[in-house]
Amino acid sequence: MDLLLYDEEFRRIIKNKKYSALGRIGNKEEILKRSDLILLPEGAQIYYLPQKQALGYDLKNKVIKKFKNFPICALLPPGYLRTYLPAYKSIDLSILPFFGYTALTWERDFYTGAVKIEDNYRWNIFQYNSLDLKNKIKQKLKEYPKNRILKHLSYCALNYRCLTAQNIFYERWEGGIPTTSKCNAGCFGCISSQSKGRISPQNRLNFMPGLEEILEIMLNHLNKNEAIISFGQGCEGEPSLNYLLLGKAINKVRARVSTGIININTNGGNTLALRELFKAGLDSLRISLNSANPEHYKRYYLPKNYDFKDIEKTIELANSSGKFVSLNLLVLPGITDQKEELDFLRVFLKRHKINFLQLRNLNIDPEFYFKEVYPSKESLGINNWLNLLKKQFPALKIGSFNPYIK
């Protein structure tokens, strides 16, 4: 597989056939083999990594060479899980923007280190960013001129190309409603935080919405085809901290509309608040984890006023309340696929009833993450890890997206 380099002077991609492309799992570089790769999926994006030096393998001398050129990588479309990180050395201590950087190479076409997790027509990238999106946004803003949430989502839809934001304007499937900037965790991989030298790809909500603003969107959306309303978006904090307002909204909506799913994406640490939301009529919750190892969880999430045991209490409460429970596992090659990590996850899944396991790429600068959660020298590999997980839990549904459960 040919090494890809970025020529900064001429702003072009160079295919270097003299060196074999490398991928990275944790702190270990591996020669990329055709059998371990897939064709670059439609909808993927190609990027170069500034302030990084590409690495390639000299097959003749059997050594790894460092290049002055920047490395080339891919950002995957929804439904694909990364198996290899790009191989590079950093020029300085700058931190990359938080995206899901994936190894990319060439052999008569672009190939990338990934595996397809779920093929869901609702999340096909070609269902989004249509030519009529701007008109749909203008129409919605004209219909609800005082709704600040819609104004915020219009920016997310057009500038961040957020799919759940776009769905509010398309009036279909899963639509997100951000409601708070407060959070009870200090995730150093937060995609809407601007601290510690990080370059986060989104701006967080900067106002507290009113009840009527939330109701307008919920009532308009929930009677649409396969509609899901989700609280807990990338542009907000922890939605359960706003449980009093959300509880009122859910109660009022369910008094008028019985269709659709009301979901919360949460860290699961605020058990008492979530209990109240279950009573109000919340249908499902998706709890995000980077690891089932409490120590690794703590290093990443930096929880405030809760710990890992509170998450487990929330899951048990959700099960006893008859709610649909999804686990959103943030995956990074070299960390998630460690044998120890798999053992922790096995114990967790045996202890708690999980209706659906969502696997998502952890969007972060890998080196920044490895300073806090240390990769081991050996890993199972994402494909092997996934196969072992499926073998141990054959009844567990695995995918990438919140399912429509009615």
Side-chain angles (χ1 to χ4, degrees), residues 113-233:
V115 58
K116 194 171 190 176
I117 296 296
E118 183 176 350
D119 190 4
N120 188 317
Y121 72 92
R122 301 183 196 92
W123 298 101
N124 188 308
I125 196 67
F126 296 105
Q127 301 266 25
Y128 296 84
N129 302 300
S130 59
L131 294 176
D132 63 346
L133 177 59
K134 287 186 178 180
N135 287 334
K136 288 182 179 296
I137 290 174
K138 288 181 181 179
Q139 182 179 345
K140 185 73 71 176
L141 293 179
K142 185 177 180 180
E143 187 177 356
Y144 302 100
K146 296 182 179 180
N147 195 305
R148 293 171 297 167
I149 302 176
L150 286 174
K151 291 178 182 178
H152 176 86
L153 290 176
S154 69
Y155 185 87
C156 297
L158 293 174
N159 292 275
Y160 303 141
R161 297 191 174 186
C162 173
L163 305 190
T164 56
Q166 290 188 18
N167 279 338
I168 291 294
F169 299 101
Y170 285 126
E171 297 188 340
R172 67 184 186 192
W173 309 334
E174 183 176 358
I177 303 181
T179 66
T180 184
S181 61
K182 298 178 181 179
C183 197
N184 57 347
C187 311
F188 66 81
C190 180
I191 64 172
S192 62
S193 175
Q194 305 288 336
S195 60
K196 298 181 181 179
R198 296 172 286 183
I199 305 176
S200 301
Q202 295 183 5
N203 291 323
R204 184 169 290 187
L205 189 76
N206 61 3
F207 63 91
M208 181 65 76
L211 178 60
E212 290 302 316
E213 292 174 294
I214 298 171
L215 289 176
E216 284 177 343
I217 302 175
M218 292 183 73
L219 290 170
N220 180 263
H221 194 80
L222 283 173
N223 60 2
K224 302 301 189 296
N225 185 40
E226 297 181 334
I228 302 174
I229 282 294
S230 278
F231 301 111
Q233 305 305 303

Side-chain angles (χ1 to χ4, degrees), residues 55-66:
L55 298 179
Y57 188 74
D58 185 338
L59 292 169
K60 181 179 179 180
N61 297 308
K62 297 183 179 181
V63 294
I64 294 176
K65 181 181 177 180
K66 183 169 58 177

